[in-house]
Amino acid sequence: MLIGVDFGGTAVKAGIVEGGELVRSTSTATRQNTSVSEILDAIANTVLSLTSKPDAVGVAIPGEVNHEGRCWRLANVPGFDGVPIGEELAKRLGCPIAVENDATAAALGEQLYGHGRDNPSFLMVTLGTGIGGGLVLGHQLYPGSNGFAAEIGHNNVDTSANAPLCGCGQRGCIETFAGTKALLRRFAELGGQATEVLPISLSARRGEMAGRKTFEMMGQALGRGLAAIQNVLDLNAIVFAGGISASFDLLEQHIRDSLRAHVFGKPAGEVQLLVSELGERAGVIGAAHLTTL
């Protein structure tokens, strides 16, 4: 039995996976200002609600982790610096734990059961609270030597002194223009009112300036950052996942225009831009298969 967990900034999602199918799933909301121990308990309890005796569990986290399962940092979930997530969950669940960055786990799922079947090299970009990335090169998952590969959200696209401050401590990261908080901030600056992304999408679909300009900002930042990656890797495809990817049609042309404006070689600007075949299931499915690597 393969079990995967996708731990995000607002919820813990877990599921029993068979191949590329999520046969049973559950989720637990996570509150702000929750302690590390309480979050680890929530992850364990979510798994135990699926089975009382898991054989092994794969866990996707919104940050970086080394090969021993020790977290480096979660930019949007304070307190996890240096926490041995794998070890702590093994104590709670009594089974082996595999831990990986959430976008890297999603890329694994996509590699095995999505667009990766037709595209040997691709970047998975997760659009949500944060902006994550997972990389597959020549049909091989590439987390990097230290687990930091494809952290596109923290590529700098604005070097000005007043660039927005990112949760990672730097200014001008892609995430400060394309993450959920950035979209809400920009929408408010343009006169809109929203506490989640859906009203911004609806505004854009109605042709309203506030919604359209918000997604234009997001697409331009993503395109600029992706151009730098294309200049280095010349990928077969870029695949988008995460909640905001449901609004990809509002972003696609802005990303494409920005790509074309910033790549060195024109063909690299025509890379396929795709929406994940696995959708919101990618993280859990990929996490479950971490235990088979």
Side-chain angles (χ1 to χ4, degrees):
M1 179 189 299
L2 296 181
I3 295 179
V5 174
D6 188 0
F7 162 42
T10 58
V12 175
K13 301 175 184 177
I16 297 172
V17 175
E18 292 182 2
E21 296 299 323
L22 189 58
V23 297
R24 186 180 166 203
S25 64
T26 187
S27 66
T28 303
T30 55
R31 305 182 309 275
Q32 289 188 344
N33 303 317
T34 303
S35 72
V36 169
S37 180
E38 288 173 325
I39 290 174
L40 292 169
D41 288 344
I43 293 173
N45 290 334
T46 304
V47 171
L48 292 173
S49 71
L50 293 171
T51 176
S52 60
K53 293 185 178 180
D55 297 320
V57 177
V59 181
I61 67 170
E64 294 71 40
V65 61
N66 67 14
H67 65 280
E68 297 173 344
R70 183 178 293 275
C71 179
W72 181 72
R73 180 172 65 176
L74 304 186
N76 295 301
V77 187
F80 272 87
D81 300 31
V83 173
I85 294 177
E87 180 182 319
E88 289 293 330
L89 288 175
K91 291 177 184 176
R92 288 165 167 81
L93 293 170
C95 67
I97 305 292
V99 188
E100 186 53 89
N101 170 265
D102 55 1
T104 299
L108 175 60
E110 196 73 25
Q111 174 200 349
L112 296 173
Y113 300 105
H115 290 298
R117 292 171 295 184
D118 300 320
N119 295 285
S121 298
F122 69 92
L123 174 71
M124 170 73 86
V125 179
T126 56
L127 307 176
T129 304
I131 304 298
L135 187 60
V136 172
L137 297 174
H139 292 296
Q140 296 294 316
L141 189 69
Y142 183 75
S145 60
N146 297 294
F148 292 97
E151 276 297 338
I152 179 176
H154 301 289
N155 283 2
N156 188 285
V157 292
D158 185 348
T159 59
S160 65
N162 61 347
L165 181 65
C166 184
C168 73
Q170 300 187 87
R171 289 187 177 273
C173 295
I174 289 175
E175 193 167 292
T176 66
F177 295 97
T180 299
K181 290 180 181 178
L183 301 186
L184 296 176
R185 182 194 71 238
R186 182 58 175 155
F187 191 57
E189 290 172 352
L190 294 167
Q193 289 185 336
T195 57
E196 58 183 6
V197 175
L198 180 58
I200 305 176
S201 299
L202 294 175
S203 171
R205 295 190 190 288
R206 290 193 295 266
E208 296 169 0
M209 185 269 289
R212 288 188 297 104
K213 288 292 185 181
T214 298
F215 279 101
E216 179 180 344
M217 173 195 70
M218 181 182 186
Q220 287 178 345
L222 284 168
R224 190 180 186 95
L226 292 170
I229 291 171
Q230 272 298 87
N231 285 344
V232 175
L233 297 177
D234 194 14
L235 299 164
N236 298 108
I238 298 169
V239 182
F240 297 86
I244 305 177
S245 66
S247 300
F248 184 69
D249 60 305
L250 299 171
L251 288 168
E252 184 174 7
Q253 193 58 54
H254 299 304
I255 295 173
R256 179 69 71 192
D257 291 345
S258 188
L259 263 173
R260 288 170 173 164
H262 293 103
V263 291
F264 168 69
K266 289 185 178 180
E270 305 307 315
V271 61
Q272 295 182 89
L273 303 178
L274 306 170
V275 176
S276 169
E277 287 190 19
L278 302 184
E280 293 186 359
R281 300 171 295 141
V284 172
I285 291 173
H289 285 278
L290 291 170
T291 62
T292 68
L293 296 181

